Amino acid sequence: MARIPLLAANWKLHKTIAEAAAFVAAFRPAVAGLNGVEVALCPPFTALATVGRELLGSGIALGAQNMYKEDQGAYTGEVSPVMLRDLGVRYVILGHSERRSLFGEDDALIMAKVHAACRHGLIPILCVGETLAEREAGATAAVVVRQVEAATRGLAPAQVAGLVIAYEPVWAIGTGRNASAADANAVGALIRREVGARFGPAAAAGLRIQYGGSVKAANVAEFQRQPEIDGALVGGASLDPHGFAELVRAAAVAR
Ligand code: PGA
């Protein structure tokens, strides 16, 4: 079964409700009628309800940037998978490098979040990737395999088949320096091999692997043409509706 590429916009800490609504108003018509790719917008929590409403009937999915591992309870400031489902959220970014490095998220917490998301029918976009120091030390493969192994431990093969894993080298995020398409493809192949060895060929074949890190309209096609890459997780280049629409169109054509 062919994997449908997913182009996901990670807005990070950007956009008020009004700005988010204006984005959708401009973006929706700009990508109407595109085939062969799936698109998700991941606004901040405060804009999820509005963006979800504005996307109704568009075929564009709603995603969140994070969530907590518990359904409810005394966890001040957190948002649960139940609450995200309530808003019509389909995807949730988990283990982003900014969550790992700035907010102290470790592999154990990320694993618990992945399990919680799957339990509630949310599709995790699990982010993995090496730092510059790790890359220079030749540790890319070891780091990525460890992160994938830790976050997927205990999942059923069918759950793994439905996952999205975003390979995002930390040194490429927001820097304008992207991995080469060949390098991204090699890491994608490594992730798929690792998943296949642990969960079987159907899980490996179903799993979607995105590349993330300074993806833009001008380079998305190179990544999209790689056999192991199924779309992109896009930060900075997803903030402008026309620019992101151009990126999505470029990915759809490259397919
Ligand atoms: P970037 O961010 O596209 O701005 O590099 C990607 C990400 O952090 O997901």
Side-chain angles (χ1 to χ4, degrees), residues 10 12 96 98 168 172-174 213-215 233-236:
N10 174 12
K12 308 191 180 182
H96 190 280
E98 287 149 19
E168 297 204 305
I173 296 176
S214 299
V215 175
L233 181 57
V234 185

Side-chain angles (χ1 to χ4, degrees), residues 19-45:
E19 288 164 349
F23 178 104
V24 179
F27 180 71
R28 214 181 137 151
V31 294
L34 270 189
N35 287 317
V37 292
E38 197 182 344
V39 180
L41 301 182
C42 308
F45 289 133

Side-chain angles (χ1 to χ4, degrees), residues 7 23 26-32 34 37 39 215-221 224 234 237-254:
L7 286 311
F23 178 104
F27 180 71
R28 214 181 137 151
V31 294
L34 270 189
V37 292
V39 180
V215 175
K216 44 189 192 275
N219 65 16
V220 71
Q224 191 44 55
V234 185
S238 74
L239 292 172
D240 174 73
H242 304 290
F244 189 53
E246 191 191 335
L247 186 157
V248 169
R249 279 196 301 274
V253 170

